[in-house]
Amino acid sequence: MYDIVIVGAGPAGLTAAIYARRANKTVLILDKGAFGGQITFSPKVENYPGFASCSGTELADSFVEQALAQGADVEVENVIQIREQNGKKLVITEEGSEYEAGAVILATGARHRHLGLENEEKFIGEGISFCAVCDGAFYQNRTVALIGGGNSALQEAILLSETCKKVYVIQNLDFLTGEKRLEEVLRSRDNVEIITGTVVSAIEDGEAFHAITLKKTATGEETRLEADGMFVAIGLVPENGAFADLADLDQVGYFDSAEDCLTRTPGIFVAGDCRKKGVRQVTTATADGATAAVAACRFLDTL
């Protein structure tokens, strides 16, 4: 029996754990994968207060260390259901475990969005990647395509440009949507070519990843681009369907909760990128984590 079970070990979930433990609540953090969340895929973080510049992995590691030092328990398990039982929350995992809690904080984050093309799944991990930090070294002195035009995509492209022979940045819009400073850095690199108003329409089949088809959105004109690898950075998709009976979802699947992080189910709270919001940054995730933890502690204190 725990006071609070936190589902998700990204910045929101880890911050919630720190706040809850400082309020002397027993805490269990459950996550189906590596702790740290999506921030671990960011090659450089320069907008988190107190850290002038660090990698996302370094920042995430500091969150994990602090949560563990505060006394939070952790388990690598995939939560598939939460139900009420005798006035408590019963958290059920795919691995067969059941954990009882007074309150639950859902900080489930979001996963990388895919292109949805034939052959995409075949080449994921074998030519298609979502993390330049993780896989960029495999493409040293080679040619890669980077799909996307937001901040994360531009950061990935900058990192790749430091080691790759050639980096093509493919953006579906007619302009990049990331910070102008990042765009300026990219445009200053001789080995970077930015292609806007263009989508990837096909991934060529074969024993190994070797080429993609590009299509101009305005004209439909298609061209073939040879590349040794492709990095996809086109946003995130929430995975909240398992909890739709506890918390309302918006039209794209994010928890439809306000800044107070409350849901329609007493004792269930949400935090981080899984929640509907206008700005998804590590700072807003940690803010949610603090808000949800304080709300959960207040809820427990009224029982």
Side-chain angles (χ1 to χ4, degrees):
M1 170 70 184
Y2 287 90
D3 291 323
I4 301 174
V5 168
I6 299 171
V7 183
L14 293 167
T15 301
I18 292 167
Y19 270 72
R21 283 298 301 139
R22 288 179 60 82
N24 293 318
K25 306 301 183 187
T26 56
V27 174
L28 171 65
I29 308 171
L30 297 171
D31 197 295
K32 63 182 177 182
F35 283 25
Q38 296 297 331
I39 192 64
T40 59
F41 297 116
S42 181
K44 185 177 291 187
V45 178
E46 296 180 324
N47 57 1
Y48 191 79
F51 294 81
S53 181
C54 66
S55 71
T57 299
E58 291 171 331
L59 185 60
D61 285 347
S62 69
F63 290 155
V64 174
E65 291 170 5
Q66 189 170 355
L68 293 177
Q70 290 287 341
D73 291 338
V74 299
E75 295 289 346
V76 180
E77 297 186 47
N78 182 32
V79 176
I80 57 175
Q81 185 183 9
I82 300 171
R83 66 170 185 255
E84 297 280 345
Q85 180 172 284
N86 300 323
K88 303 295 183 182
K89 315 296 185 224
L90 188 65
V91 181
I92 302 168
T93 72
E94 187 176 24
E95 291 74 14
S97 300
E98 296 184 353
Y99 300 99
E100 196 174 54
V104 174
I105 296 174
L106 298 172
T108 50
R111 63 173 174 82
H112 291 288
R113 188 183 300 275
H114 292 190
L115 295 171
L117 298 173
E118 187 177 358
N119 298 319
E120 184 175 15
E121 297 295 328
K122 172 182 177 179
F123 290 119
I124 289 177
E126 298 291 340
I128 296 178
S129 176
F130 301 92
C131 177
V133 174
C134 310
D135 302 326
F138 295 120
Y139 298 94
Q140 185 172 359
N141 298 321
R142 303 175 78 181
T143 297
V144 299
L146 186 287
I147 316 303
N151 279 346
S152 296
L154 301 191
Q155 287 181 329
E156 297 269 286
I158 290 170
L159 181 66
L160 291 168
S161 71
E162 294 173 357
T163 56
C164 294
K165 179 177 67 176
K166 180 77 174 184
V167 178
Y168 292 95
V169 177
I170 316 297
Q171 164 73 319
N172 63 329
L173 301 176
D174 292 327
F175 52 89
L176 300 177
T177 57
E179 295 177 5
K180 290 299 180 184
R181 181 181 60 84
L182 297 175
E183 180 178 345
E184 290 169 359
V185 171
L186 269 183
R187 292 191 182 280
S188 71
R189 303 282 170 95
D190 293 335
N191 63 335
V192 174
E193 182 175 339
I194 298 173
I195 304 173
T196 57
T198 302
V199 298
V200 180
S201 59
I203 300 168
E204 284 194 13
D205 199 4
E207 293 186 5
F209 182 95
H210 62 280
I212 56 178
T213 300
L214 304 181
K215 182 170 71 174
K216 284 289 184 182
T217 56
T219 65
E221 177 188 359
E222 290 189 330
T223 56
R224 183 175 182 270
L225 177 67
E226 292 187 357
D228 300 301
M230 179 171 72
F231 289 78
V232 181
I234 56 173
L236 303 171
V237 179
E239 297 182 293
N240 299 327
F243 313 110
D245 59 330
L246 302 169
D248 294 329
L249 306 181
D250 69 6
Q251 65 274 18
V252 292
Y254 288 101
F255 288 122
D256 195 0
S257 298
E259 297 293 329
D260 56 15
C261 296
L262 303 180
T263 71
R264 56 180 165 81
T265 303
I268 300 291
F269 308 87
V270 297
D273 283 356
C274 61
R275 183 178 72 79
K276 181 180 70 175
K277 55 171 63 184
V279 178
R280 287 187 173 84
Q281 294 286 304
V282 64
T283 47
T284 64
T286 56
D288 274 7
T291 299
V294 170
C297 291
R298 286 174 178 167
F299 170 80
L300 294 171
D301 290 343
T302 63
L303 295 179

